[in-house]
């Protein structure tokens, strides 16, 4: 039960008026006209109003004490959070030298008549290298490799295919580079032996372009923008986007940055190779690169004022709120001789000594404070933190401002390059920007206050891992921790798996499968955040859950005077809202983990839509989001272990 908080004085305005009128006969018996039109009653109501205001302020004393208590605990209002995404920079053409997109490069959305442009800035330097192809290796079963560069140079490609004869799953052609090409857009110009590979559909080849993921420590598929080689049967181009998580790894004893074209098992209705492709020549060029961006604006070298030589000085930055500081974003103070020295930001001055160059900065208001002077019980003054001598200039090297929900823009909205960079022809964001949040309100802080006493600073239990994963980055919508089994613990392999569901704004439409994969940057942030808080005897692995994509077909009969198209759209929205790993499920908090989908609940959902007379049929299909192939399911759709259900494309027929 919540403890009741009494009012210090619960009298209302009318109570004060009535109480005063009752005292009139005692103190002024001659006063007999107590109507509202009497001037004396007007004065009574005036003073009652003034007292009512005083009582309101008195009743806020417990709230003020509560806020002061939260302040003593160290609670601060959270500043806005910036929306983040990845922006692709397309070059005007392959360049002979490295092209650098520096940290802080500004891009923006298009300004319209009703909305100003929203600026973003890159979070790191992006070097678009000229790729140097050092090795080509063809893999066979049981780890056998063939030096395919030697095959090309000797002209024996007519006899040697890039895969086995016939190709087997996991056969691959590996391309090794000297440069680190993570985030690059690469164009492979491939000249194969014409009609060297047979038995496949040229528009649906059974291979996949992959990269080595440094976090997952495995080969993962990468986005293929274009493939005009007709299943490696004619000269053409293959354009791939290498993710940020790509890393170097040894292949056949050679350490390099490797990309691979892997043979894959033939899917349903997909033909397999009966003869391996053969390649005569390969050229690789960089067409651009992708860099992470945040919805921020950089303020560089701002002078905040001059010291007056006393303790407790306050200065205000010009463009609050100030986002979380990065290395190098700090206060610098002028020294004797004109040079500057860096000062260190601290949470408070509790541990600061008189010579410590410390300062505090309130992110929301932009107020910068220097150390105070306090008197102890013996009357002695004690200084907390150093004080710059009088007249010394204080300056802030660099800080970032911005943030808020306005930065959550859709895909392909960031198309304006505000910084002038040679050889860059166009920019775009292939994924929507997410994670933008407005500043925390006082009411939200008061609700979150009691949680401060229960805040988890260490990841010990399952709940700890899940709670902290949600705190690591706003890009995380849900998290689930799977502890190691007793056998794993006894074998010394105590790895806790943390499954992450990314945030998404799609509530009543299908979520693109790409948005259900956490970005490499966010995955790294979660892993580092948890790694700093785990026990030394445990290990963690951050990965996505297993999704099963469900397509529902519904035949429904509409009532009279109900438009079929409108009813169909309404039913589809209800289905997408139900089978949604982020916003769906019976409680609207995301589809429950490992929960199956039953025909009865879909029937009840559709039957409850206003305008539906009755439901004739409900059919379930499990879909492959890559190929679009669907497999009929009888009865119930089972959810995979540690997995979630997600909507594919639903089909509603209204009769």
């Amino acid at each position: 039960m919540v403890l009741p908080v009494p009012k210090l004085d619960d009298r209302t305005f009318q109570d004060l008026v009535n109480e005063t009128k009752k005292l009139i006969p005692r103190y002024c018996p001659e006063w007999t006209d107590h109507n509202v039109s009497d001037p004396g009653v007007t004065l009574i109501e005036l003073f009652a109003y003034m007292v009512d205001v005083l009582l309101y302020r008195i009743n806020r004393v417990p709230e003020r004490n509560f806020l002061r208590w939260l302040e003593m605990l160290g609670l601060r209002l959270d500043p806005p959070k910036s929306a983040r995404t990845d922006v692709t920079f397309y070059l005007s053409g392959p360049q002979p030298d490295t092209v650098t997109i520096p940290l802080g490069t500004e891009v923006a959305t298009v300004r319209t008549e009703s909305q100003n442009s929203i600026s973003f800035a890159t979070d790191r330097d992006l070097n678009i290298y000229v790729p140097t192809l050092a090795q080509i290796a063809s893999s066979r079963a049981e780890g056998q490799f063939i030096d395919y560069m030697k095959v090309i140079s000797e002209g024996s490609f007519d006899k040697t295919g890039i895969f086995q004869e016939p190709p087997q799953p996991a056969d691959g052609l590996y391309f090794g580079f000297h440069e680190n090409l993570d985030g690059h857009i690469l164009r492979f110009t491939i000249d194969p032996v014409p009609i060297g590979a047979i038995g496949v559909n040229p528009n649906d080849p059974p291979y996949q372009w992959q990269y080595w993921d440094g976090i997952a420590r495995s080969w993962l598929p990468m986005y293929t923008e274009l493939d005009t080689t007709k299943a490696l049967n004619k000269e053409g181009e293959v354009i791939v986007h290498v993710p940020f998580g790509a890393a170097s790894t040894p292949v056949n004893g050679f350490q390099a940055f490797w990309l691979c074209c892997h043979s894959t098992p033939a899917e349903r209705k997909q033909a397999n190779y009966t003869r391996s492709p053969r390649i005569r020549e390969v050229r690789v060029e960089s067409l651009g690169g992708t860099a992470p961006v945040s919805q921020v604006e950089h303020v560089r070298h701002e002078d905040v004022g001059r010291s007056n030589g006393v303790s407790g000085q306050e200065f205000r930055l010009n463009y609050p709120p100030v986002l979380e500081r990065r290395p190098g974003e700090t206060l610098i103070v002028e020294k004797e001789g004109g040079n500057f020295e860096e000062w260190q930001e601290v949470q408070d001055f509790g541990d600061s000594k008189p010579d410590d160059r410390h300062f505090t900065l309130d992110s929301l208001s932009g107020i910068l404070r220097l150390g105070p002077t306090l008197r102890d019980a013996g009357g002695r003054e004690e200084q907390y933190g150093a004080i710059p001598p009088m007249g010394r200039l204080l300056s802030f090297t660099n800080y970032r401002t911005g943030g808020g929900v306005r930065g959550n823009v859709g895909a392909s909205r960031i198309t304006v390059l505000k910084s002038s960079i040679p050889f860059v022809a166009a920019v775009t964001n292939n994924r929507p920007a997410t994670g933008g949040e407005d500043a925390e309100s006082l009411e939200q802080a008061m609700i979150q206050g009691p949680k401060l006493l229960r805040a988890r600073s260490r990841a010990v239990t399952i709940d700890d891992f899940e709670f902290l994963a949600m705190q690591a980055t706003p890009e995380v919508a849900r998290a689930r921790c799977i502890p190691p089994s007793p056998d794993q613990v006894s074998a010394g392999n105590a790895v806790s798996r943390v499954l992450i569901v990314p945030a998404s704004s799609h509530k009543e439409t299908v979520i693109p499968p790409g948005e259900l994969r956490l970005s490499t940057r966010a995955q790294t942030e979660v892993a580092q955040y948890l790694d700093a808080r785990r026990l030394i005897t445990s290990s963690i692995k951050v990965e996505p859950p297993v999704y099963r994509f469900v397509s529902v077909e519904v035949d429904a009969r509409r009532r009279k005077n109900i438009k079929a198209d409108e009813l169909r759209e309404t039913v589809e929205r209800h289905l997408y809202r139900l089978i949604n790993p982020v916003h769906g499920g019976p409680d609207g908090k995301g589809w429950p983990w490992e929960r199956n989908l039953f025909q009865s609940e879909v029937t009840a959902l559709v039957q409850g839509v206003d305008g539906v007379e009755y439901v004739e049929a409900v059919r379930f299909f499990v879909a492959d989001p890559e190929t679009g192939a669907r497999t009929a399911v009888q009865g119930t759709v089972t959810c995979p272990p540690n997995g979630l259900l997600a909507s594919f494309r639903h089909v509603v027929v209204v009769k």
Side-chain angles (χ1 to χ4, degrees):
M1 176 180 177
V2 179
L3 296 177
V5 180
K7 286 187 175 182
L8 300 183
D9 196 322
D10 59 357
R11 289 178 293 178
T12 64
F13 167 79
Q14 193 61 47
D15 293 336
L16 295 170
V17 172
N18 295 338
E19 185 177 341
T20 307
K21 285 183 178 181
K22 291 179 182 179
L23 297 176
I24 292 177
R26 179 186 302 179
Y27 294 102
C28 190
E30 298 84 1
W31 184 3
T32 59
D33 186 5
H34 302 163
N35 294 321
V36 293
S37 59
D38 185 77
V41 175
T42 301
L43 290 175
I44 289 176
E45 292 180 344
L46 174 61
F47 285 111
Y49 169 76
M50 297 172 63
V51 173
D52 186 45
V53 173
L54 290 175
L55 294 182
Y56 169 75
R57 297 177 67 87
I58 289 174
N59 286 325
R60 294 200 63 184
V61 169
E63 180 182 344
R64 183 179 184 276
N65 292 340
F66 180 63
L67 292 175
R68 286 296 187 186
W69 172 72
L70 293 179
E71 185 178 10
M72 290 176 61
L73 290 178
L75 182 69
R76 299 290 185 271
L77 294 180
D78 290 335
K81 293 182 175 61
S82 297
R84 303 187 300 182
T85 186
D86 299 330
V87 167
T88 301
F89 295 81
Y90 289 94
L91 300 179
S92 56
Q95 302 299 317
D97 299 309
T98 299
V99 176
T100 299
I101 312 294
L103 168 71
T105 298
E106 295 186 349
V107 293
T109 60
V110 176
R111 180 179 179 180
T112 64
E113 294 181 356
S114 59
Q115 187 177 16
N116 292 328
S117 63
I118 302 173
S119 296
F120 292 75
T122 55
D123 296 331
R124 72 169 197 178
D125 291 333
L126 171 63
N127 294 316
I128 304 177
Y129 297 107
V130 179
T132 305
L133 187 56
Q135 289 283 329
I136 304 179
S138 175
S139 70
R140 297 291 190 267
E142 300 178 358
Q144 300 175 2
F145 284 88
I146 296 175
D147 184 353
Y148 211 81
M149 288 195 79
K150 183 178 180 181
V151 172
I152 293 176
S153 63
E154 293 180 352
S156 56
F157 40 77
D158 282 326
K159 300 179 181 178
T160 308
I162 62 175
F163 305 137
Q164 295 185 69
E165 299 288 358
Q168 300 297 317
D171 286 356
L173 185 64
Y174 295 80
F175 301 88
F177 301 88
H178 289 309
E179 298 81 12
N180 184 352
L181 301 178
D182 66 323
H184 281 54
I185 304 172
L186 299 179
R187 178 172 66 191
F188 288 78
T189 303
I190 300 176
D191 182 14
V193 175
I195 316 300
I198 57 176
V200 297
N201 181 351
N203 298 316
D204 189 18
Y207 58 71
Q208 188 179 68
W209 288 84
Q210 299 179 343
Y211 71 100
W212 176 260
D213 191 285
I215 298 176
R217 310 299 299 172
S218 62
W219 292 97
L220 298 179
M222 56 184 170
Y223 172 58
T224 303
E225 179 181 325
L226 180 69
D227 186 349
T228 63
T229 63
K230 298 298 181 181
L232 300 178
N233 271 308
K234 66 181 290 290
E235 184 176 2
E237 300 175 350
V238 177
I239 299 178
V240 297
H241 292 238
V242 185
F244 290 120
S248 64
T249 186
V251 171
N252 195 26
F254 188 80
Q255 185 76 29
F257 187 94
W258 291 94
L259 302 177
C260 177
C261 177
H262 262 133
S263 174
T264 58
E267 301 289 343
R268 183 171 177 265
K269 296 182 180 180
Q270 183 185 37
N272 206 343
Y273 284 111
T274 58
R275 182 184 178 190
S276 171
R278 289 154 171 75
I279 292 179
R280 298 185 294 193
E281 184 182 3
V282 178
R283 300 188 306 276
V284 186
E285 300 165 308
S286 290
L287 299 183
T290 302
V293 299
S294 300
Q295 190 251 313
V296 300
E297 294 184 21
H298 287 263
V299 181
R300 295 179 172 86
H301 304 296
E302 179 181 310
D303 294 337
V304 298
R306 291 188 178 272
S307 173
N308 58 13
V310 301
S311 61
Q313 298 178 65
E314 289 188 0
F315 304 89
R316 186 185 295 271
L317 298 180
N318 292 332
Y319 302 99
V322 182
L323 301 180
E324 183 179 359
R325 269 66 69 196
R326 293 178 173 176
E329 297 180 351
T330 187
L331 175 70
I332 56 175
V333 178
E334 184 181 16
K335 297 194 304 181
E336 187 176 356
N339 295 324
F340 286 81
E341 61 183 354
E342 291 188 357
W343 284 42
Q344 179 185 356
E345 181 180 355
V346 294
Q347 289 293 110
D348 55 65
F349 295 104
D351 297 327
S352 300
K353 297 179 174 54
D355 295 331
D356 291 339
R357 299 190 296 272
H358 291 171
F359 71 96
T360 64
L361 178 58
D362 184 78
S363 298
L364 196 58
S365 64
I367 295 178
L368 184 150
R369 295 183 176 90
L370 301 182
T373 299
L374 303 177
R375 291 182 182 273
D376 60 14
R380 295 178 297 271
E381 291 187 348
E382 187 170 354
Q383 176 64 40
Y384 292 86
I387 301 298
M390 179 180 292
R392 296 291 171 82
L393 178 65
L394 282 71
S395 180
F396 217 88
T397 57
N398 178 46
Y399 65 91
R400 297 168 301 126
T401 184
V405 296
R406 65 189 295 265
N408 296 331
V409 300
S412 304
R413 290 283 307 282
I414 306 173
T415 56
V416 178
L417 178 64
K418 299 180 67 175
S419 305
S420 178
I421 301 178
F423 312 115
V424 175
V427 297
T428 189
N429 61 310
N430 295 315
R431 296 178 56 179
T434 58
E437 296 180 3
D438 290 331
E440 185 181 26
S441 66
L442 184 61
E443 291 75 14
Q444 291 172 326
M446 293 179 66
I447 293 174
Q448 297 294 332
K451 294 183 179 180
L452 191 63
L453 294 177
R454 306 192 299 269
R456 304 174 175 95
S457 59
R458 287 292 171 188
V460 180
T461 67
I462 293 176
D463 290 341
D464 293 339
F465 278 101
E466 295 175 353
F467 174 82
L468 292 172
M470 298 281 291
Q471 303 300 311
T473 170
E475 294 186 38
V476 176
R478 301 174 64 191
R480 189 186 197 194
C481 177
I482 304 172
S485 64
D487 294 339
Q488 291 175 320
V489 174
S490 60
N493 186 26
V495 178
S496 298
R497 297 168 55 207
V498 180
L499 309 182
I500 300 297
V501 180
S504 174
S505 59
H506 297 274
K507 294 184 178 181
E508 297 182 345
T509 58
V510 63
I511 301 179
E515 289 190 23
L516 292 175
R517 292 191 294 267
L518 194 68
S519 67
T520 303
R521 174 177 56 180
Q523 187 175 351
T524 303
E525 289 178 353
V526 173
Q528 293 176 346
Y529 192 83
L530 295 177
D531 188 63
R533 290 159 176 80
R534 64 175 175 83
L535 296 179
I536 194 172
T537 56
S538 63
S539 300
I540 59 170
K541 183 178 181 181
V542 179
E543 57 188 28
V546 178
Y547 295 103
R548 179 157 292 171
F549 291 88
V550 181
S551 178
V552 179
E553 289 187 359
V554 174
D555 295 339
R557 179 74 65 174
R558 63 184 173 90
R559 294 196 179 104
K560 293 182 179 180
N561 302 322
I562 299 296
K563 295 182 178 179
D565 291 342
E566 294 181 359
L567 183 59
R568 186 190 70 252
E569 293 176 359
T570 302
V571 173
E572 288 179 353
R573 287 198 302 269
H574 279 70
L575 291 173
Y576 286 122
R577 188 189 305 158
L578 174 68
I579 314 171
N580 187 308
V582 181
H583 307 285
D587 57 1
K589 297 181 180 179
W591 188 261
W593 296 93
E594 299 182 341
R595 185 183 184 278
N596 299 335
L597 177 65
F598 302 94
Q599 283 190 338
S600 58
E601 62 182 321
V602 174
T603 302
L605 174 72
V606 178
Q607 187 68 59
V609 175
D610 188 26
V612 174
E613 181 72 23
Y614 56 84
V615 179
E616 292 186 351
V618 173
R619 295 176 293 276
F620 288 158
F621 299 85
V622 172
D624 184 342
E626 299 294 333
T627 63
R630 301 192 311 165
T631 303
V633 176
Q634 300 298 326
T636 302
V637 178
T638 58
C639 189
N642 302 314
L644 294 168
L645 299 184
S647 289
F648 192 57
R649 288 188 295 270
H650 302 312
V651 179
V652 177
V653 178
V654 176
K655 300 180 181 179

